């Protein structure tokens, strides 16, 4: 149990750093940290959302679409904000 708690805390720290990287337009670094966050907590809607937005900025549209849709699945209240980004990712990835 203690290892699980530590893993969750590390995931939370990496989430915050990933968000900072995103805001600084360091999208590759954001993806790295957010991927580690999701390894610790695969149901983290914020990590899915921010990694999806990072993938979108990196023009990795299929990956963006998957993460953005997962974020909405985990937290339906995100749908209004993410719908335009999901549509953009669909269009650009050929869906």
């Amino acid at each position: 149990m203690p290892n699980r708690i530590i893993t969750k805390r590390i995931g939370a720290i990496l989430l915050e750093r990933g968000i900072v990287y995103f805001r600084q337009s360091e999208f590759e670094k954001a993806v790295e940290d957010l991927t580690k966050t999701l390894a610790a907590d695969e149901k983290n809607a914020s990590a899915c959302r921010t990694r999806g937005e990072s993938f979108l900025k990196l023009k990795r549209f299929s990956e963006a679409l998957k993460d953005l849709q997962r974020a909405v699945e985990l937290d339906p209240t995100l749908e209004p904000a993410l719908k335009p980004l999901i549509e953009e990712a669909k269009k650009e990835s050929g869906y």
Side-chain angles (χ1 to χ4, degrees):
M1 189 68 119
N3 286 340
R4 187 178 180 141
I5 293 168
I6 291 169
T7 301
K8 286 256 189 191
R9 286 185 182 164
I10 291 170
I13 291 166
L14 290 170
L15 171 63
E16 293 304 317
R17 191 169 74 174
I19 291 169
V20 170
Y21 283 142
F22 177 81
R23 289 179 181 158
Q24 294 175 338
S25 299
E26 294 189 49
F27 305 117
E28 289 288 351
K29 289 181 180 180
V31 166
E32 285 179 35
D33 278 359
L34 296 166
T35 298
K36 292 174 186 172
T37 299
L38 289 166
D41 179 8
E42 64 186 23
K43 294 184 178 183
N44 189 313
S46 183
C48 285
R49 174 189 182 159
T50 308
R51 188 174 74 169
E53 290 181 271
S54 297
F55 281 140
L56 201 58
K57 296 288 187 178
L58 293 167
K59 301 188 185 314
R60 293 166 58 179
F61 300 112
S62 293
E63 292 161 295
L65 180 59
K66 181 180 172 186
D67 275 358
L68 294 169
Q69 289 176 325
R70 178 73 173 144
V72 170
E73 180 183 313
L74 293 169
D75 182 356
T77 66
L78 294 174
E79 186 171 9
L82 296 185
K83 188 173 181 179
L85 301 178
I86 290 170
E87 292 303 316
E88 179 183 352
K90 281 183 180 177
K91 179 183 171 193
E92 295 296 335
S93 62
Y95 285 98

